[in-house]
């Protein structure tokens, strides 16, 4: 099998230059939500996983608890851009995170998309009260 580091560029996810089922495992971290069509990107990642192989998706989430969600989104709206300016010299460096979550289907949506692709069992692990999550699935 291959070992590549893939970056979450929309064009890369449209048509990966790999054969169907060419990988034992495929991972994507903090990239799926940046795609214009996360379902199509996920389908492309799923395509290159071999039968019996695994796919893992780590990304920001949307907490189910309304109070925690409000606090978390406020943090992303106000504190993260300030940290971006302090660390990177640019408020915009990380300010996009909140905007990228607006249309991202998050935990429930990614679970549904994996099920629609034929994943018989999807494991979801949430961190920080749902602020981040990891989805795992084995391809039948």
């Amino acid at each position: 099998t291959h070992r590549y580091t893939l970056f979450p560029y929309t064009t890369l996810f449209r048509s990966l230059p790999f054969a169907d089922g060419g990988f034992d495992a495929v991972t994507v971290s903090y990239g799926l939500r940046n795609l214009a069509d996360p379902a199509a990107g996920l389908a492309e990642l799923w395509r290159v996983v071999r039968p019996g192989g695994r796919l893992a998706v780590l990304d920001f989430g949307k907490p189910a608890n309304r109070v925690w969600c409000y606090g978390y989104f406020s943090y992303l709206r106000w504190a993260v851009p300030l940290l971006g300016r302090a660390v990177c010299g640019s408020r915009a460096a990380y300010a996009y995170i909140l905007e990228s979550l607006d249309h991202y289907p998050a935990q429930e949506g990614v679970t549904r998309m994996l099920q629609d692709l034929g994943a018989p069992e999807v494991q979801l692990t949430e961190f920080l009260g749902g602020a981040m999550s990891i989805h795992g699935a084995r391809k039948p």
Side-chain angles (χ1 to χ4, degrees):
T1 57
H2 309 286
R3 284 184 182 232
Y4 290 95
T5 299
L6 301 177
F7 298 98
Y9 298 123
T10 302
T11 55
L12 185 61
F13 279 84
R14 284 189 193 139
S15 179
L16 293 172
F18 307 112
D20 294 359
F23 292 90
D24 295 326
V26 174
T27 64
V28 60
S29 300
Y30 302 107
L32 193 62
R33 72 185 151 72
N34 293 317
L35 301 178
D37 186 351
L42 196 59
E44 185 62 5
L45 293 172
W46 190 248
R47 178 187 69 78
V48 299
V49 176
R50 72 163 175 79
R54 297 199 47 94
L55 174 65
V57 178
L58 166 67
D59 219 317
F60 291 104
K62 294 179 181 176
N65 179 291
R66 288 181 185 211
V67 174
W68 174 234
C69 189
Y70 177 81
Y72 169 56
F73 278 38
S74 294
Y75 167 77
L76 291 175
R77 179 176 288 108
W78 303 109
V80 169
L82 292 175
L83 290 170
R85 186 157 113 205
V87 175
C88 301
S90 169
R91 287 179 58 91
Y94 294 97
Y96 79 95
I97 294 171
L98 181 60
E99 183 181 335
S100 71
L101 281 170
D102 282 343
H103 303 291
Y104 183 58
Q107 292 94 317
E108 291 179 17
V110 174
T111 297
R112 234 180 353 267
M113 287 188 283
L114 285 165
Q115 291 168 338
D116 290 348
L117 290 169
E121 200 174 302
V122 178
Q123 296 82 38
L124 171 63
T125 305
E126 294 184 303
F127 301 95
L128 298 170
M132 292 180 203
S133 65
I134 296 177
H135 286 82
R138 184 175 302 278
K139 191 171 186 179

